[in-house]
Amino acid sequence: MKIELPEKVKTVIGELKAHGYDAYAVGGCIRDSILGRTPGDWDITTSAKPQQVKAIFPRTVDTGIQHGTVTVLMDKEGFEVTTYRIDGEYEDARHPKDVIFTSNLLEDLKRRDFTINAMAYNDETGLVDAFDGIADLKAKRIRCVGEPTERFTEDALRMMRAVRFAAQLGFTIEDATRQAICDMAENLSKISAERIQVELVKLVTSDHPEEMKTIYDTGIAAVILPEFCTMMETEQHNPHHIYTVGVHTIRSMQEIRADRVLRLTMLFHDVAKPVCRTEDENGIHHFHGHPEVGAEMARKILRRLKFDNDTIRKVTALIRAHDDRPPLKGRAVRRAIFRNGTEQYPELFEVKRADILAQSSFLQQEKLLYVDRYEHMYRQIIEKHQCLSLKDLAVNGSDLIARGIQPGKEIGVILHAMLEQVLEDPKLNEKEALLDWYFNSNK
Ligand code: ATP
Ligand code: MG
């Protein structure tokens, strides 16, 4: 098998070889090349020790020198060059106690997670596939290198990686590997939230977010996201729904583009339905208040998973707004945009459509038509540059101070009163008119 290595990768490997070392492109880049996918990065594995790598290349960065990794810079591009290694005894399920450098490619490949990730290639030797990675690629199978329970004991995160690769590649997890995940999911409690977050994001932004079902079925969710288990186990007896909260959630993720914030929003948009559920005298379930309660639950979950504040802010705002349905009148739509925050638009329409598409067919066309009309009105309002927030208001704090209002809380109160007027009637967004209105009505 011939793999087309990028010129710079050939150069790095060529230089290492010219100095008497062994070197291969390895792991994800080989897997992706064989699959015809564009590799995210090209990793290189070599017999050269980090100091020896640094001696060869003029520009290097010590990215993980304690793990044997040096980044070699070629122009602006960086390539991680890692010395062959086998992991020593594991102290816990997280970190190798010591990493012993070996001069053996096979030992290096043996410590990789899955057979499809354990192949190496250079032009001279060709493909090194000691664990039948090619066969598993053909069978679209995620399989551990060696004994799954052992491998998951060494690093529990590999269980999430298995599901994440299944989701990215559209593969299935081989039986013994899957069984080991079911048996050992509990070990994920030892893994840092940061590492779990990385894999969860890759999974939810993949082509197959429905693999969240596997996260539930294997017991991973019970450890990293118990709220999702509750969703999977909550029925919705309501004409608008045909699925449990969890299955509706998964369907809604499939209905939205693979954007990080949007997929996370769909994952958590109904997280509060289980706690907000009530049943009326006809046995119909209602979920009053679930967007607000859900936004707060999502905030806690996202914090726990160590998401950044910007992501948390965007996701929770979309969750809070996802069920907001203003009457389709100019003033009501402008108020809604102000209420939900201009920053949530136009993404909010994508959220609403995905949510509807994952519901029952009851009134579905009507609901979609409503969103179309809402969006149409939104676009017109934007085109006309109508005022939608304090920053668009023709009056600001200094204008009020110039008119003798004391700096302080009152300024905000007045500006909001003016904004209320302008949301009602955009023509009023004119400095003198607004000031006159205020000072005349408050004489
Ligand atoms: P991508 O970069 O597309 O997410 P990848 O396969 O390149 O996928 P990385 O996390 O970049 O994944 O890791 C590069 C390679 O290192 C993997 O292909 C695998 O061989 C090895 N590897 C990474 N993480 C682990 C792990 N936790 N346990 C064992 N091997 C791992
Ligand atoms: Mg990679």
Side-chain angles (χ1 to χ4, degrees):
M1 177 158 323
K2 171 95 178 120
I3 288 172
E4 211 37 68
L5 300 177
E7 281 310 315
K8 287 172 189 158
V9 174
K10 281 188 194 170
T11 308
V12 176
I13 292 177
E15 282 295 314
L16 286 161
K17 290 199 148 234
H19 286 79
Y21 305 108
D22 229 2
Y24 297 83
V26 69
C29 59
I30 302 305
R31 174 199 70 221
D32 288 341
S33 299
I34 297 171
L35 287 173
R37 298 166 69 98
T38 311
D41 39 36
W42 289 83
D43 296 325
I44 290 155
T45 187
T46 181
S47 58
K49 306 277 189 296
Q51 292 311 328
Q52 297 167 327
V53 175
K54 288 171 68 168
I56 297 173
F57 298 97
R59 288 162 59 235
T60 62
V61 182
D62 292 359
T63 7
I65 208 149
Q66 70 283 17
H67 297 111
T69 304
V70 171
T71 298
V72 171
L73 294 168
M74 306 282 289
D75 300 328
K76 282 192 184 100
E77 235 178 312
F79 297 93
E80 288 197 354
V81 177
T82 305
T83 308
Y84 292 159
R85 61 193 182 181
I86 55 168
D87 292 341
E89 260 183 76
Y90 280 75
E91 198 166 20
D92 53 28
R94 282 179 291 128
H95 293 113
K97 195 158 42 179
D98 56 340
V99 178
I100 311 158
F101 296 122
T102 71
S103 290
N104 188 328
L105 173 66
L106 289 185
E107 284 299 315
D108 178 280
L109 295 177
K110 219 200 276 179
R111 52 158 281 285
R112 294 177 182 269
D113 45 9
F114 306 108
T115 59
I116 59 168
N117 288 345
M119 293 181 280
Y121 176 92
N122 68 24
D123 285 331
E124 204 175 308
T125 311
L127 186 73
V128 180
D129 175 21
F131 305 100
D132 276 343
I134 290 283
D136 287 329
L137 274 186
K138 285 201 178 122
K140 295 177 172 277
R141 196 159 53 202
I142 309 291
R143 184 163 63 90
C144 281
V145 173
E147 224 288 295
T149 0
E150 268 172 39
R151 307 318 311 283
F152 295 146
T153 308
E154 290 162 2
D155 182 2
L157 189 73
R158 291 171 185 163
M159 295 187 271
M160 277 202 79
R161 286 174 58 87
V163 185
R164 179 267 270 200
F165 284 118
Q168 286 181 323
L169 304 172
F171 283 22
T172 44
I173 302 172
E174 173 269 338
D175 287 347
T177 299
R178 187 184 172 104
Q179 187 55 50
I181 297 176
C182 297
D183 295 343
M184 304 189 63
E186 178 53 40
N187 286 26
L188 274 162
S189 62
K190 299 177 201 155
I191 300 295
S192 74
E194 288 84 352
R195 292 183 77 207
I196 286 174
Q197 187 214 110
V198 170
E199 298 303 324
L200 184 68
V201 166
K202 286 186 175 176
L203 192 167
V204 303
T205 55
S206 71
D207 280 354
H208 298 280
E210 66 274 18
E211 284 295 328
M212 279 304 296
K213 175 85 168 35
T214 308
I215 292 287
Y216 171 70
D217 290 340
T218 52
I220 292 177
V223 184
I224 65 155
L225 205 56
E227 296 85 352
F228 189 70
C229 297
T230 316
M231 290 158 77
M232 290 298 287
E233 290 150 18
T234 301
E235 299 282 344
Q236 314 191 74
H237 297 146
N238 181 295
H240 291 280
H241 288 279
I242 36 175
Y243 305 119
T244 61
V245 173
V247 173
H248 160 72
T249 293
I250 289 173
R251 297 228 21 107
S252 74
M253 290 170 80
Q254 293 176 285
E255 295 289 356
I256 208 156
R257 76 188 148 93
D259 170 83
R260 185 165 169 277
V261 165
L262 292 179
R263 287 278 173 89
L264 288 169
T265 299
M266 295 330 290
L267 176 59
F268 295 120
H269 77 287
D270 279 350
V271 66
K273 273 192 166 177
V275 298
C276 291
R277 189 174 75 174
T278 55
E279 188 169 321
D280 68 17
E281 58 282 6
N282 303 315
I284 307 285
H285 289 157
H286 300 279
F287 305 93
H288 293 302
H290 80 276
E292 294 76 24
V293 180
E296 285 320 303
M297 285 178 71
R299 183 188 311 282
K300 287 212 183 89
I301 296 168
L302 292 166
R303 280 220 185 105
R304 188 177 80 211
L305 291 170
K306 301 282 195 275
F307 276 89
D308 58 287
N309 288 336
D310 188 55
T311 303
I312 297 178
R313 187 173 50 77
K314 288 179 177 151
V315 170
T316 54
L318 281 168
I319 294 173
R320 181 171 284 110
H322 84 270
D323 228 6
D324 187 56
R325 288 188 297 269
L328 297 182
K329 294 280 181 332
R331 59 167 65 90
V333 170
R334 285 188 296 270
R335 284 223 165 86
I337 299 170
F338 168 63
R339 176 169 65 240
N340 297 324
T342 50
E343 207 201 339
Q344 304 333 122
Y345 293 81
E347 284 75 14
L348 182 58
F349 300 119
E350 296 183 73
V351 170
K352 285 179 157 298
R353 287 196 182 96
D355 190 8
I356 293 167
L357 289 168
Q359 295 170 1
S360 72
S361 58
F362 176 64
L363 295 181
Q364 195 172 50
Q365 289 314 310
E366 289 81 349
K367 291 190 276 188
L368 289 170
L369 196 61
Y370 168 85
V371 178
D372 289 346
R373 292 196 175 126
Y374 184 1
E375 179 161 23
H376 182 71
M377 291 190 71
Y378 164 79
R379 303 244 173 239
Q380 284 184 325
I381 288 167
I382 294 298
E383 261 169 44
K384 290 184 195 152
H385 301 291
Q386 291 181 351
C387 169
L388 294 165
S389 65
L390 285 180
K391 79 173 166 27
D392 306 327
L393 199 67
V395 172
N396 62 27
S398 332
D399 298 326
L400 295 176
I401 292 165
R403 293 286 191 108
I405 308 281
Q406 288 303 309
K409 233 173 142 187
E410 201 189 348
I411 302 270
V413 173
I414 299 172
L415 291 175
H416 272 99
M418 289 177 166
L419 179 60
E420 274 298 315
Q421 288 298 306
V422 171
L423 291 171
E424 186 72 26
D425 181 359
K427 286 198 295 293
L428 297 177
N429 196 22
E430 202 269 308
K431 193 192 270 190
E432 289 310 316
L434 276 176
L435 290 168
D436 286 349
W437 166 79
Y438 178 75
F439 287 103
N440 289 332
S441 57
N442 288 279
K443 254 189 231 150

